[in-house]
Amino acid sequence: VISFDSSDLGENVLYAKFAGDEDYLESESNKVYVNVYTSVSVTPSINLNSSAVVEGDKILVTVTASSNAPGNITLYEDSEYTKEIATIPVGESYEYTVPVSDKTTSYYTGYIYAYYNGAVVENTMYTHNPYATGYKTFTVMKQNTATLTGKNEAKVRVDVGGSVELYLDIDYW
């Protein structure tokens, strides 16, 4: 077992060398390259430009990371990190269109989760904090629909000076 400390930062080349003796010739093993890094655990953060949105509308998502970490953050719709939304650079924003749901309530809670993808810069390795819960919630409201018709048609002909009776049908959630 070989231990490394801060004096070993960067690339190290390890190999074994046998000096030989009266029975065996000198020999050298293959080389093993070991990169020693300072590890930084990174917690992603999300900011939303709104705490409530109507289904089908857009919400602006901005991501940041602790320790001024470089790299990318992937956004997900679920805490298992299986429903990917987008991958964006740290410090950037993404315009997310809230999907229309088959939920039958007038509003519900939406979630966006962030996962830091990691980066290596010089002798520093940035990794996702496994205990990080980088997520935001927002209220999603169902879209009310309004239908305006004349004589139950979307297109109606009326003589000059005539009139038409219009009907407004609103489906509320």
Side-chain angles (χ1 to χ4, degrees), residues 16 48 61 70 87 110 115 123 131 142 154 160 165:
L48 304 176
V61 182
T87 298
Y115 187 89
N123 294 324
Y131 303 105
K142 296 294 261 184
V160 172
E165 191 172 333

Side-chain angles (χ1 to χ4, degrees), residues 21-33:
D21 60 21
E22 68 266 1
D23 296 323
Y24 298 98
L25 294 174
E26 154 184 326
S27 66
E28 189 173 292
S29 73
N30 60 304
K31 294 177 180 171
V32 174
Y33 298 88

Side-chain angles (χ1 to χ4, degrees), residues 39-93:
S39 183
V40 176
S41 183
V42 177
T43 300
S45 298
I46 301 172
N47 291 311
L48 304 176
N49 71 333
S50 178
S51 61
V53 66
V54 175
E55 282 184 334
D57 284 354
K58 296 180 186 313
I59 192 167
L60 190 66
V61 182
T62 303
V63 295
T64 57
S66 63
S67 305
N68 293 319
N72 295 317
I73 291 178
T74 302
L75 303 174
Y76 294 90
E77 290 180 347
D78 64 323
S79 61
E80 289 80 35
Y81 304 114
T82 60
K83 296 178 183 174
E84 184 176 329
I85 297 170
T87 298
I88 58 176
V90 170
E92 297 291 320
S93 297

Side-chain angles (χ1 to χ4, degrees), residues 11 25 34 56 72 74 93 106 122 134 152 169:
E11 185 175 81
L25 294 174
V34 178
N72 295 317
T74 302
S93 297
S106 60
E122 296 177 8
N152 291 326
D169 182 30

Side-chain angles (χ1 to χ4, degrees), residues 66-138:
S66 63
S67 305
N68 293 319
N72 295 317
I73 291 178
T74 302
L75 303 174
Y76 294 90
E77 290 180 347
D78 64 323
S79 61
E80 289 80 35
Y81 304 114
T82 60
K83 296 178 183 174
E84 184 176 329
I85 297 170
T87 298
I88 58 176
V90 170
E92 297 291 320
S93 297
Y94 176 78
E95 198 170 62
Y96 171 58
T97 301
V98 177
V100 175
S101 165
D102 58 0
K103 295 181 190 282
T104 57
T105 57
S106 60
Y107 66 93
Y108 57 92
T109 302
Y111 296 86
I112 295 181
Y113 294 85
Y115 187 89
Y116 177 70
N117 296 328
V120 175
V121 177
E122 296 177 8
N123 294 324
T124 304
M125 180 180 290
Y126 298 91
T127 58
H128 181 79
N129 177 351
Y131 303 105
T133 55
Y135 74 95
K136 281 287 187 188
T137 62
F138 54 97

